[in-house]
Amino acid sequence: NADRLYYSKGNDYDSAPQDHYIDITSPSEPLMNGVAYDGGSYVFSSERFFRLLPSFAKGGNVGNLWRFIEVPNGKGLFARWAIAVGQSIWFRAKDGIYETKGGAPVSITDEKLYPLFPHEGQPGVSFTIGSDTIAPPDDAVLTAQRLHFYNDYLYYDYQDTAGNRRTLVYNTLTKSWSLDAFSVPVLAHYGEEGSGVNNLLLGATSGRLYSNTGTSDAGTAIAVHIRTRSEDA
């Protein structure tokens, strides 16, 4: 039932009666994933973006407990796990990564990373910034594409068309992108949660879990390039 959203009881999250569902799209337009954000619930299909609202009638419930509205000018979720939520919702659409606060989404990749993603029927292509060549995501391997938000940074992990694991990082404060490189290919990022906990974890293809701290990269020295300040007067 790719077009059907199931929901549990509001006071018993482990219980989901058989009649607790709502049909949102058609089977040819599967639902992909959803988030809770700013007191609301949202769900993405492969083509569109919907907000869910409680459906209460005076004197009790009539029919379904939920109703949905399509967000105008919305975009569908292209990769099921390429979605994250923080002070906004970020997600991978067919033609790039977008940000929304519940309304029409805005691209955060068009300005700097436009060539990486498909546009107008053309596939994404590699491009070079300085000495770094960035290859586009391999959209045949959608399960490798993941987004995670932590401490003002959005991490986009993916496998590129050359078979390499890549991480692009978006600074939500400066609205800028950078490329992270690791000695061990990274599959996903995850920010630890809890009182007094502030640590970014990285899951790697080695099967190990790494902490984003220390002075070496899994035992390998971290290469850096330092430029001192200069003025030409």
Side-chain angles (χ1 to χ4, degrees):
N1 299 317
D3 59 323
R4 181 168 290 179
L5 177 69
Y6 295 88
Y7 55 90
S8 61
K9 288 184 176 179
N11 59 352
D12 184 1
Y13 300 145
D14 292 324
S15 177
Q18 291 184 353
D19 61 351
H20 275 37
Y21 67 84
I22 179 172
D23 291 325
I24 295 180
T25 60
S26 65
S28 62
E29 185 185 341
L31 300 182
M32 299 293 286
N33 209 333
V35 296
Y37 169 75
D38 195 26
S41 298
Y42 298 86
V43 64
F44 289 83
S45 73
S46 60
E47 306 297 330
R48 292 179 289 170
F49 176 36
F50 303 89
R51 182 173 184 178
L52 299 167
L53 301 169
S55 179
F56 299 121
K58 186 176 181 180
N61 298 329
V62 176
N64 207 299
L65 299 181
W66 292 91
R67 60 187 176 91
F68 64 90
I69 57 172
E70 181 179 348
V71 176
N73 300 312
K75 292 268 186 177
L77 177 61
F78 184 62
R80 193 179 300 274
W81 295 336
I83 185 170
V85 64
Q87 66 258 36
S88 298
I89 303 169
W90 297 273
F91 66 98
R92 166 71 204 276
K94 293 178 181 178
D95 58 351
I97 299 174
Y98 284 78
E99 178 178 6
T100 175
K101 294 183 180 296
V106 176
S107 174
I108 61 171
T109 51
D110 275 1
E111 182 178 357
K112 300 294 184 182
L113 304 178
Y114 185 89
L116 279 188
F117 300 96
H119 290 89
E120 298 179 343
Q122 301 300 312
V125 296
S126 301
F127 70 100
T128 300
I129 298 179
S131 59
D132 295 316
T133 297
I134 305 175
D138 186 346
D139 285 344
V141 191
L142 292 179
T143 55
Q145 299 192 35
R146 298 167 183 259
L147 282 171
H148 185 71
F149 173 77
Y150 190 62
N151 279 2
D152 299 322
Y153 288 90
L154 180 69
Y155 299 89
Y156 176 45
D157 298 302
Y158 67 94
Q159 179 175 309
D160 69 19
T161 50
N164 302 309
R165 295 281 179 166
R166 299 295 186 194
T167 299
L168 291 170
V169 185
Y170 180 67
N171 185 326
T172 61
L173 301 179
T174 62
K175 312 297 184 185
S176 59
W177 285 95
S178 59
L179 176 67
D180 271 3
F182 307 97
S183 62
V184 179
V186 169
L187 299 172
H189 287 69
Y190 180 75
E192 282 192 285
E193 302 175 60
S195 178
V197 176
N198 187 31
N199 191 22
L200 182 64
L201 302 178
L202 296 80
T205 57
S206 63
R208 294 188 175 187
L209 188 66
Y210 294 89
S211 175
N212 195 40
T213 57
T215 56
S216 74
D217 189 0
T220 301
I222 300 174
V224 298
H225 185 181
I226 299 175
R227 292 186 179 184
T228 59
R229 177 180 174 178
S230 64
E231 299 179 15
D232 65 5

